[in-house]
Amino acid sequence: MNRFARTVAAVALATALALVSGCGGSDSDAGADVKPLKKVTYLTSFGNFGRDAYAWVAKDKGFFEEAGFDVEIKPGQGTGGVIAAVVSGQAQFGPTDLTGSLLQMGNGQAKDFVAVAAIQQRTMAAIATTEGNGIAVPKDIEGKRLADTPGSVVRNLFPTYARLAGVDADKVTWVNGDAQTLMGTLAGGSVDGIGQFVVGKPTIEAVTKKKAVLLPYSDVMPDLYGNVLITSKEIAEEEPETVKRFTTALLKGLEYSLANSKEAAEILKRNVDATNPAAAAAELKLMAAYVRPGGSGTAIGTLDSGRVARSIAGLQDAGALPPGMTPEQIIDFDLVPKA
């Protein structure tokens, strides 16, 4: 009987060990099926203002993670800086102004990048100042001193804007500035105006404690798109599904931010200490009209080839672009969200 008991116990122990081993093997196999998140660096368009909060929202809400990405968000320094970083591989994605991008590509300043989605359906570029600086209409900026980052769309597009607005560009002085300190420069009085997006109005007023005055470029160039999401040609060609997944996640963050501007501003504040939540929320509210204005289609992110062609033609007529450019040179329409 003792021998029988020992035999039964041994069989039971062997069975238990086999079960434990089997469970461990299943866990290991399940872990092997989980793909690691793809690390991506994303640049904002211009500093860390409310208008760029949607990237932080996409990260905070888990939209990036759900799409398979571990995203590091860094502040951009305008169209030229974002293009250079994406082309060099320092970042994989970032928003740039489509018109500024056209100018850089058409004039041989940049290449090897493509736009894959629209962020804003109309340009938000503008010259901004405050009451008391003697600027109310475009002609007033003659003889004035303006600041902006060297590669910004406001600065790159200024000669075309000046020509169409009846301004002598040679009578305007530009000085270099940094994205995060431009508004402080304006508040300090060392310049008369700055390059800025129209949605920056609430932040300008919060920083300067004065009423903002804006000269939107869209007043004289109504056909131009605003920011677009870009990536390198290499990534677009070799990893198209990666691009589509990232774009979908980012645009999901954009849509959520516009519908929940106060929460989006609070998310930005948690990630960027210098954020003024009220100003950030106000920027997002103003931006909503540019992301999905009437007649632009129902889906966020769409780009229309015919409209881009008209923008190119207008820039060529103004002498800002050489002849021969086509929308397909700068936009990968196979990757752009469908209307």
Side-chain angles (χ1 to χ4, degrees):
M1 289 295 294
N2 288 340
R3 182 180 299 170
F4 177 76
R6 287 196 297 271
T7 301
V8 170
V11 170
L13 178 60
T15 301
L17 289 172
L19 288 172
V20 171
S21 176
C23 290
S26 297
D27 288 344
S28 177
D29 292 343
D33 290 338
V34 177
K35 294 183 179 179
L37 297 176
K38 185 178 181 65
K39 292 187 179 295
V40 165
T41 298
Y42 172 89
L43 295 182
T44 66
S45 64
F46 194 72
N48 284 315
F49 298 105
R51 71 204 72 162
D52 276 299
Y54 57 90
W56 294 106
V57 170
K59 183 171 183 175
D60 184 87
K61 290 294 178 181
F63 301 154
F64 284 143
E65 186 174 356
E66 290 168 6
F69 299 103
D70 176 9
V71 180
E72 181 180 12
I73 303 171
K74 295 182 177 181
Q77 289 291 328
T79 293
V82 173
I83 290 174
V86 167
V87 170
S88 67
Q90 297 175 54
Q92 287 69 53
F93 296 95
T96 65
D97 185 271
L98 180 57
T99 305
S101 301
L102 281 166
L103 294 176
Q104 293 233 341
M105 181 178 286
N107 294 313
Q109 296 170 293
K111 60 179 181 177
D112 297 329
F113 68 94
V114 290
V116 295
I119 303 299
Q120 294 114 19
Q121 296 285 329
R122 288 186 292 139
T123 182
M124 300 197 304
I127 292 172
T129 185
T130 54
E131 286 188 342
N133 283 333
I135 300 174
V137 297
K139 193 71 173 175
D140 292 338
I141 61 177
E142 292 183 359
K144 298 297 193 296
R145 183 178 170 89
L146 308 178
D148 203 351
T149 57
S152 80
V153 63
V154 175
R155 198 159 169 178
N156 286 338
L157 194 53
F158 179 73
T160 304
Y161 168 78
R163 188 180 300 111
L164 295 173
V167 174
D168 186 345
D170 292 334
K171 294 182 179 179
V172 179
T173 300
W174 284 93
V175 298
N176 294 338
D178 178 80
Q180 292 295 132
T181 60
L182 277 177
M183 295 182 189
T185 302
L186 178 62
S190 60
V191 296
D192 304 297
I194 58 174
Q196 191 57 234
F197 279 175
V198 293
V199 295
K201 182 178 179 180
T203 306
I204 292 171
E205 293 179 342
V207 171
T208 65
K209 312 301 181 186
K210 296 179 181 178
K211 185 175 181 180
V213 177
L214 294 163
L215 303 178
Y217 281 16
S218 60
D219 286 350
V220 297
M221 295 178 282
D223 236 355
L224 304 183
Y225 278 93
N227 277 353
V228 293
L229 177 66
I230 70 163
T231 190
S232 68
K233 276 191 174 181
E234 181 180 3
I235 292 175
E237 291 171 359
E238 297 181 1
E239 304 178 59
E241 292 307 313
T242 294
V243 175
K244 289 180 181 179
R245 286 189 291 109
F246 184 88
T247 300
T248 298
L250 183 69
L251 294 181
K252 191 174 180 181
L254 175 61
E255 195 154 21
Y256 188 96
S257 298
L258 298 181
N260 304 275
S261 58
K262 184 177 179 180
E263 181 185 354
E266 290 169 351
I267 290 172
L268 181 63
K269 174 63 177 177
R270 289 202 299 270
N271 290 279
V272 181
D273 289 340
T275 299
N276 179 321
E283 283 200 10
L284 287 167
K285 287 182 179 180
L286 287 174
M287 192 171 80
Y290 288 81
V291 172
R292 189 187 278 155
S296 68
T298 57
I300 282 179
T302 60
L303 285 161
D304 179 76
S305 178
R307 187 176 154 200
V308 176
R310 290 194 301 273
S311 297
I312 291 173
L315 292 168
Q316 289 170 339
D317 291 342
L321 276 180
M325 279 202 75
T326 66
E328 290 72 21
Q329 286 177 267
I330 196 167
I331 299 170
D332 190 330
F333 287 100
D334 290 334
L335 299 178
V336 171
K338 307 305 178 187

